[in-house]
Amino acid sequence: MMLLPSRAAVCGALVVLAVSGAVITRSEAGGVHSSAVVAAAAGRAIVGAASMYNPFKPGREEGGPSTASGERYDAAGWAAAIKTSLRGKFGGVQFGARPKFALVEAAGKKVIVKINDVGPLRPGRIIDLNERTMRYFDPSLELGVIGDVKVSPLAGDYWSPGPVG
């Protein structure tokens, strides 16, 4: 009878070690991911202002209208629309094509966004952020426009959108 509780304790200890090892690996991977982002974005940045967009209108299709890539607008994702004249620099943003990604930096924060839309933005603005991304930089949404935003296209198609570092 004493062997069973001992085996359970040993098994529990092994599970704890395995889980803590996975957490260490994830946190180390986060650091690697951060430097990989910086390396992939080096030297091609555009600086300007960012604003927020939300094309959803009540009564329209669930999830809002389609973006230039064909995806539905998602206020809860990490996405953005780039200025139409910058479309080529960000991989074309074409209907049905794999989305492109960019590193957006402002106010000491960095986030990877999926560039899935384009638009004729107001002068001085280079990117329109969806609601979640804008809340990352401006939690109250009171600013409306964020100046001195640095946007760098990322090489490759397989980035995970979200905060970096």
Side-chain angles (χ1 to χ4, degrees), residues 40-47 82-94 99-103 115 117-118 126 150-157:
R44 304 181 317 182
I46 301 164
V47 178
I82 199 71
K83 188 173 186 170
T84 305
S85 63
L86 298 172
R87 179 182 236 164
K89 185 170 181 72
F90 287 85
V93 192
Q94 298 174 357
K100 302 302 178 187
F101 297 89
L103 176 64
I115 303 294
D117 209 353
V118 295
I126 57 172
K150 182 177 169 185
V151 182
S152 306
L154 293 171
D157 296 337

Side-chain angles (χ1 to χ4, degrees), residues 6 25 27 36 45 55 60 65 68 84 92 103 128:
S6 296
T25 303
S27 100
R60 293 209 44 182
T84 305
L103 176 64
D128 266 351

Side-chain angles (χ1 to χ4, degrees), residues 4 26 29 33 35 39 41 48 50 58 72 75 80 84 88 96 98-99 106-107 115-116 119 124 127 151-152 158 162:
L4 187 57
R26 271 191 224 136
H33 183 74
S35 48
R72 293 267 178 225
T84 305
R98 287 196 57 79
I115 303 294
N116 64 357
I127 193 167
V151 182
S152 306
Y158 297 97

Side-chain angles (χ1 to χ4, degrees), residues 7-35:
R7 286 184 183 170
V10 169
C11 183
L14 289 174
V15 169
V16 168
L17 285 173
V19 169
S20 63
V23 170
I24 291 168
T25 303
R26 271 191 224 136
S27 100
E28 288 172 357
V32 171
H33 183 74
S34 178
S35 48

Side-chain angles (χ1 to χ4, degrees), residues 54-67 70-74:
N54 184 349
F56 181 76
K57 294 181 175 78
R60 293 209 44 182
E61 299 173 46
E62 182 66 29
S66 293
T67 62
E71 298 176 341
R72 293 267 178 225
Y73 173 83
D74 179 10

